[in-house]
Amino acid sequence: QVLLVESGGGLVQAGGSLRLSCAASGRTFSSYNMGWSRQAPGKERQFIAAISWRGGNTYYTDSVKGRFTISRDNAKNTVYLQMNSLKPEDTAVYSCAASTPYRYTWNKLTDFASWGQGTQVTVSS
């Protein structure tokens, strides 16, 4: 299991931007698909973005397409989530996730094995 630590959350006005980072432990980061989910109070966890271990394929849920961008830097063992045009409904705890090595599916919650503690994102109207 890999240790994941998120950072970059905070309070932002609607229309603003934030960049979340997730640092992973270990020496096999480049073999993991990486993803982001979010959970708002009283709601189920929502899987919102993922990037394949090769880095060439990405997935976004419809509600964030065109606004959020996932990327990774294997040299830094870090995955990022750039969030633009934020809306109040984006308010949630955002968590990153890592799959098992070289997993061939990576677009749903159950494709991921390790999760970080999360970072709060609050978007005010």
Side-chain angles (χ1 to χ4, degrees):
Q1 200 166 10
V2 60
L3 179 63
L4 302 169
V5 179
E6 302 94 339
S7 61
L11 173 64
V12 64
Q13 288 189 332
S17 298
L18 282 174
R19 188 175 82 153
L20 305 183
S21 300
C22 173
S25 65
R27 294 181 290 179
T28 56
F29 177 78
S30 61
S31 69
Y32 303 139
N33 302 313
M34 299 297 296
W36 288 92
S37 71
R38 65 186 181 186
Q39 188 165 22
K43 294 189 176 181
E44 291 186 355
R45 179 177 287 195
Q46 179 188 26
F47 189 68
I48 60 171
I51 187 167
S52 64
W53 63 271
R54 294 181 184 270
N57 297 92
T58 56
Y59 162 84
Y60 300 96
T61 195
D62 286 345
S63 59
V64 308
K65 278 181 184 176
R67 300 188 300 124
F68 292 10
T69 303
I70 189 171
S71 61
R72 66 190 298 158
D73 186 338
N74 288 343
K76 296 182 178 179
N77 279 19
T78 300
V79 63
Y80 303 97
L81 187 67
Q82 178 67 44
M83 305 186 296
N84 299 329
S85 303
L86 283 162
K87 305 174 181 179
E89 53 263 42
D90 293 319
T91 295
V93 175
Y94 285 70
S95 302
C96 71
S99 71
T100 51
Y102 307 115
R103 186 176 176 89
Y104 63 89
T105 58
W106 37 272
N107 63 353
K108 55 188 182 299
L109 283 172
T110 52
D111 289 328
F112 293 83
S114 300
W115 294 89
Q117 292 296 309
T119 185
Q120 177 70 46
V121 171
T122 303
V123 184
S124 64
S125 57

